[in-house]
Amino acid sequence: MSILSSNKRITNIIFNDHSIRYVEVRQQKPPVPLKWGEKLLPSGIIQEGKIVDQVTLSMILEECIDDWKIKRRKVRFLVPDPLVMIRKVKVPDEVRPDELNGYLYLELGTSIHLPYEEPVFETVLLPKKGEQREALLFAAPQQHVMEYAQLLSGLKLKPMAADISPLALYRLYHQTDLANKDERLLMIQFDLDRVFICIFEQQYPIFMHHFPIQFRLEDWDIKVTRSGAHRFQYNGEAAELHSQLEDFYKEVSKLMDFYRYSLYQGNQQITKVLLNGDHPKLQIILQEMQQRFEIPTHTIDASQWAAGKTSLFPHSHFLALGLGLKEV
C-alpha cells in the first residue's frame, strides 16, 4: 500500500442504494480520516447497484460536491457490491503473468462464462499449489461501471481508480494488525438493505455472496450525529427485525458449512469472522454472533487510531476509509 502525500487531496466516494458517502484520508499507519460526509438518497434512484435515475442522482451529487467542497477533485469510487463477481479460474503453465489479462479476455465466452457480455475485469495470479495454476478474476458489467465514472466526470470530478468493497475493507483490516496470513476469514458487510459476504484465504478473496434484506425508510427515525453520519432508530415491528436477523444468522451458518464440507470435505473451516457495515444494530449483531458461533468474531475499532476528532469517525464510513488506502 503506497503512501500518498496529503496535498494530493484525493476524495473517496461510496455509492449504495440508500446513500452517497465520502472520506478524505491522510495515508499513514494508522490512517487518519480528515473529512467525511453523507447524503441519504430517496428510494429508487439506485437499485441493486445500478443507476436508475441518472438526472436526479447527478443533481444530488452536484449539491454534495458544493457542500463537501470537493470541486474538481481526483476521486476513487467503489463498484457497488451487487455488480461485482469473483471467480477462480485455471491458467495454463505457459501463460506468463504479463499475459494473464489478455489470455482471460480471449477465454471470455468460451471456457469462461460471465452473466454479462461486456465486462470490465482485473486478474490476480494466485500462488501455485502443486502443478495447478489458478487466477482470481474480478468482473463487473462495463455499462454500469462506466455510468458511475461518467457521472463523476460529468460534474468535473476526475475518476482515477475504481475498487471493490472486500479489498477496500481488507486494507483497513490489515492496517489494524489483526490480519493473519494463514487465517480463513469470513468478511461480512451488513448494511441497512443488503448483506455482502466474502471469504478470504491467505489474504485473497476467493468467494463472494450477497443478498438483500427488507428495508423501509418509514420504519426508521433518522437523526444526524455530531460526526456527520445518520443515526437510525428502528420504530417498526420488533418481530420483523428479529426475523430478519435470524435469517441472517442461518445464512452465515450455511455458508460456513458450505465452505467446510462442500469446498473442503470437512478438512478446513473458517477461522475468523470480521463484521462491518452501516446497520444500526451492528453491535447487537456482533454480540449475538460471538455467542452463537465458536469462531472468533471481530469488528474494526476506530478508537485505536487517534484521539480527538477521529474518535467520532462513524462506522458507516469504514469502507470509504479503506478505499482511501488504495494504491493509485
Side-chain angles (χ1 to χ4, degrees):
M1 285 172 277
S2 64
I3 303 300
L4 298 179
S5 59
S6 58
N7 61 3
K8 290 194 177 181
R9 305 289 298 278
I10 299 173
T11 299
N12 306 281
I13 296 181
I14 307 289
F15 296 92
N16 57 45
D17 287 10
H18 60 276
S19 73
I20 307 173
R21 298 181 179 127
Y22 93 105
V23 172
E24 289 182 16
V25 184
R26 180 185 297 135
Q27 287 209 15
Q28 62 185 55
K29 189 173 182 180
V32 177
L34 302 174
K35 294 169 59 181
W36 56 86
E38 180 177 39
K39 178 72 172 179
L40 295 184
L41 293 176
S43 177
I45 291 180
I46 300 177
Q47 293 180 357
E48 295 286 312
K50 301 172 184 176
I51 299 175
V52 176
D53 189 341
Q54 181 97 21
V55 173
T56 303
L57 183 59
S58 180
M59 292 171 59
I60 293 172
L61 181 57
E62 189 171 23
E63 291 178 4
C64 293
I65 291 170
D66 289 337
D67 293 344
W68 299 339
K69 298 178 173 57
I70 58 171
K71 288 183 178 180
R72 301 184 184 276
R73 291 284 183 84
K74 295 178 179 179
V75 295
R76 305 181 188 91
F77 68 97
L78 282 188
V79 179
D81 291 336
L83 303 179
V84 178
M85 65 178 300
I86 296 177
R87 183 164 296 177
K88 191 183 288 187
V89 294
K90 294 182 179 179
V91 180
D93 277 340
E94 61 269 20
V95 176
R96 299 196 308 266
D98 61 343
E99 298 173 336
L100 183 59
N101 277 9
Y103 167 76
L104 292 177
Y105 181 80
L106 293 174
E107 293 299 308
L108 290 175
T110 54
S111 65
I112 300 173
H113 298 279
L114 299 178
Y116 26 80
E117 291 185 0
E118 295 187 11
V120 289
F121 66 90
E122 290 289 343
T123 57
V124 175
L125 195 63
L126 293 173
K128 192 172 182 180
K129 295 181 179 179
E131 296 301 315
Q132 185 170 312
R133 295 180 73 208
E134 291 182 314
L136 288 176
L137 175 68
F138 304 88
Q142 183 179 38
Q143 172 192 346
H144 299 301
V145 175
M146 290 307 299
E147 284 175 355
Y148 284 100
Q150 291 163 1
L151 170 71
L152 295 165
S153 59
L155 294 172
K156 303 297 193 297
L157 297 174
K158 302 169 186 176
M160 57 187 305
D163 200 8
I164 61 175
S165 65
L167 297 183
L169 186 58
Y170 194 88
R171 287 189 202 97
L172 189 61
Y173 168 66
H174 191 272
Q175 285 270 16
T176 66
D177 293 326
L178 288 173
N180 184 310
K181 188 174 112 174
D182 297 323
E183 70 191 3
R184 297 171 184 270
L185 178 72
L186 185 74
M187 177 189 288
I188 300 171
Q189 177 74 19
F190 198 131
D191 290 335
L192 273 168
D193 55 2
R194 180 168 300 277
V195 175
F196 178 83
I197 300 175
C198 187
I199 296 175
F200 281 75
E201 287 181 356
Q202 295 183 320
Q203 303 181 329
Y204 291 97
I206 57 113
F207 177 82
M208 292 170 58
H209 176 63
H210 63 86
F211 53 92
I213 54 177
Q214 187 174 25
F215 171 70
R216 293 189 301 266
L217 196 59
E218 57 269 25
D219 289 339
W220 300 87
D221 295 323
I222 307 171
K223 295 181 180 179
V224 180
T225 68
R226 284 193 305 151
S227 66
H230 292 84
R231 177 177 296 160
F232 288 76
Q233 184 68 40
Y234 188 68
N235 63 19
E237 292 291 333
E240 186 174 324
L241 182 60
H242 177 76
S243 177
Q244 286 183 11
L245 296 183
E246 284 297 322
D247 289 344
F248 162 72
Y249 302 133
K250 291 175 184 176
E251 192 73 18
V252 170
S253 181
K254 286 193 292 186
L255 271 175
M256 289 181 177
D257 287 344
F258 167 77
Y259 181 84
R260 183 174 184 178
Y261 297 109
S262 297
L263 294 185
Y264 284 100
Q265 293 74 51
N267 296 319
Q268 297 289 352
Q269 62 181 345
I270 298 297
T271 59
K272 187 187 291 184
V273 177
L274 177 69
L275 178 66
N276 188 62
D278 65 19
H279 199 282
K281 302 296 184 182
L282 198 68
Q283 287 303 313
I284 292 174
I285 295 167
L286 174 67
Q287 293 167 9
E288 186 68 24
M289 290 187 67
Q290 289 171 336
Q291 293 177 5
R292 289 182 180 230
F293 302 107
E294 296 180 355
I295 299 167
T297 302
H298 302 272
T299 189
I300 296 174
D301 179 13
S303 65
Q304 66 184 296
W305 295 334
K309 185 177 179 182
T310 306
S311 64
L312 301 174
F313 186 70
H315 219 286
S316 57
H317 287 54
F318 280 9
L319 270 183
L321 184 59
L323 177 61
L325 301 176
K326 179 178 175 61
E327 289 185 32
V328 176

